[in-house]
Amino acid sequence: MKTLNVIGPGRLGQSLARLAVDSGQYQIGGVLARSEQSAAKALAFIGAGQVCLQLADLPPADLWLLAVPDSSIAAVAVELAAAQVVKTGDVVFHASGALEANILAPLQAQGALIASLHPAFSFADPARAVLTFFGTPCAIEGNAAACKLLNQFAQAIGGVPFALAEGGKGAYHAALSMAANYLVTLADLSLKTAHQAGIAPEMANSLVLGLMQQTLHNIQALGPAVALTGPIVRGDAGTVQRHLEVVGENQQAPYRVMGLATLSLAGDRVSPEQARQLKTALTQAEHALCTSGN
Ligand SMILES: NC(=O)c1ccc[n+]([C@@H]2O[C@H](COP(=O)([O-])OP(=O)(O)OC[C@H]3O[C@@H](n4cnc5c(N)ncnc54)[C@H](OP(=O)(O)O)[C@@H]3O)[C@@H](O)[C@H]2O)c1
């Protein structure tokens, strides 16, 4: 049975440690927290392990999870290397979605196999997280031998591991951010525009969010290109121009940028002449548009 040490038993650290124990395939060695209270609380939840308050006190382990906030990973890696407790061939990994494995380079220099494992999951509450984690995609990159062991770890805790290309962490995180964050911004811009039409907030929620959900189902079933409907893919530059005459100042720039990206997605579903008219409508200056609208 492999041993896991956890440094930083916060929301993710506690959750992964508990899932590892529940798998029956891992035992917990040390759990390093910054205070005795938080260590005791974490241990009560994980159900195994020994409390450590100093890196040098951590027991030997096969896997070392640095589950500290992203901004502390580099510094903790340096401190862990200085503590001289990681052995050659141990796997040291972090769980950041944005940072590469190579932020752990000081440990690699000591012979550790470094990697990162990012579960695409929101660990708001560990007790809830362990009940709903099953089937979560886990992005893995780094040293090949470490990735192999982390694939086994991810599967043991109920995750679905997949590999990122070398240097792919930035694009991976940008993809997730666009999907999760920009969707929220898009909903907000759309709701504000619906408000401009005099639609009551409750009705606007039902209208906009219902349409977004329906569209997500279509994307899942058909793919983005086929799921695309609306004035741009119909080649209707006049409607696009009227939208730009009415949408608020804060919506103008996103409407134009998303419109151009949508035109690109529409591809040959619009004729070259329609594409030219749409591009003109989407790129002409606001004042010129107001003049033409009068
Ligand atoms: N939460 C999520 O949904 C989620 C999802 C995917 C990936 N991740 C990744 O998981 C990692 C941890 O995130 P989290 O949300 O679990 O953070 P968190 O809940 O804030 O927990 C961080 C833990 O690290 C400890 N800590 C902070 N600085 C430390 C230091 N210098 N030395 C030792 N321990 C330290 C904290 O102790 P104190 O309690 O004493 O501050 C706490 O136990 C991050 O890399 C994050 O990107 C998180």
Side-chain angles (χ1 to χ4, degrees):
M1 190 179 285
K2 293 206 180 308
T3 302
L4 172 72
N5 277 350
V6 180
I7 298 169
R11 287 163 294 183
L12 175 132
Q14 285 183 50
S15 307
L16 294 197
R18 172 65 183 270
L19 286 165
V21 170
D22 289 351
S23 77
Q25 297 178 44
Y26 295 86
Q27 61 186 11
I28 306 300
V31 176
L32 183 131
R34 291 194 294 187
S35 72
E36 283 205 40
Q37 294 95 310
S38 60
K41 197 168 156 239
L43 240 66
F45 177 76
I46 297 167
Q50 69 185 66
V51 171
C52 299
L53 295 175
Q54 303 290 332
L55 289 164
D57 296 339
L58 282 160
D62 307 289
L63 301 173
W64 299 69
L65 167 59
L66 269 61
V68 298
D70 284 16
S71 55
S72 300
I73 292 173
V76 172
V78 170
E79 289 167 26
L80 184 59
Q84 303 271 346
V85 282
V86 174
K87 302 181 309 298
T88 300
D90 288 355
V91 171
V92 184
F93 66 109
H94 66 73
S96 165
L99 300 170
E100 308 252 352
N102 63 15
I103 197 164
L104 304 175
L107 292 148
Q108 186 178 33
Q110 291 188 339
L113 310 176
I114 60 169
S116 72
L117 180 157
H118 177 253
F121 188 89
S122 179
F123 295 88
D125 168 38
R128 199 177 139 65
V130 295
L131 295 177
T132 52
F133 184 80
F134 187 82
T136 296
C138 296
I140 296 174
E141 57 88 40
N143 170 277
C147 289
K148 199 171 161 203
L149 289 170
L150 289 183
N151 262 283
Q152 291 165 4
F153 177 75
Q155 278 169 343
I157 62 172
V160 179
F162 65 97
L164 294 179
E166 201 179 331
K169 203 69 188 272
Y172 163 72
H173 197 248
L176 295 190
S177 301
M178 281 192 270
N181 309 151
Y182 292 0
L183 184 68
V184 178
T185 310
L186 205 56
D188 181 59
L189 293 173
S190 177
L191 286 167
K192 285 180 174 136
T193 308
H195 178 67
Q196 235 182 283
I199 302 169
E202 214 169 291
M203 188 62 220
N205 269 341
S206 158
L207 181 74
V208 169
L209 304 186
L211 194 58
M212 287 180 102
Q213 271 161 1
Q214 193 188 354
T215 307
L216 280 175
H217 286 305
N218 286 344
I219 297 168
Q220 201 160 19
L222 308 168
V226 180
L228 187 61
T229 61
I232 290 184
V233 75
R234 282 197 298 271
D236 183 354
T239 297
V240 167
Q241 191 156 338
R242 280 191 294 282
H243 288 174
L244 281 164
E245 285 162 15
V246 295
V247 296
E249 204 181 325
N250 292 338
Q251 282 89 327
Q252 284 278 333
Y255 186 101
R256 288 172 194 275
V257 170
M258 290 304 291
L260 289 169
T262 304
L263 180 56
S264 166
L265 178 62
D268 58 11
R269 289 174 70 191
V270 296
S271 70
E273 177 53 20
Q274 288 171 329
R276 193 192 60 74
Q277 288 172 0
L278 283 161
K279 199 167 177 189
T280 303
L282 287 163
T283 53
Q284 67 187 328
E286 209 177 326
H287 62 85
L289 194 144
C290 292
T291 315
S292 71
N294 287 337

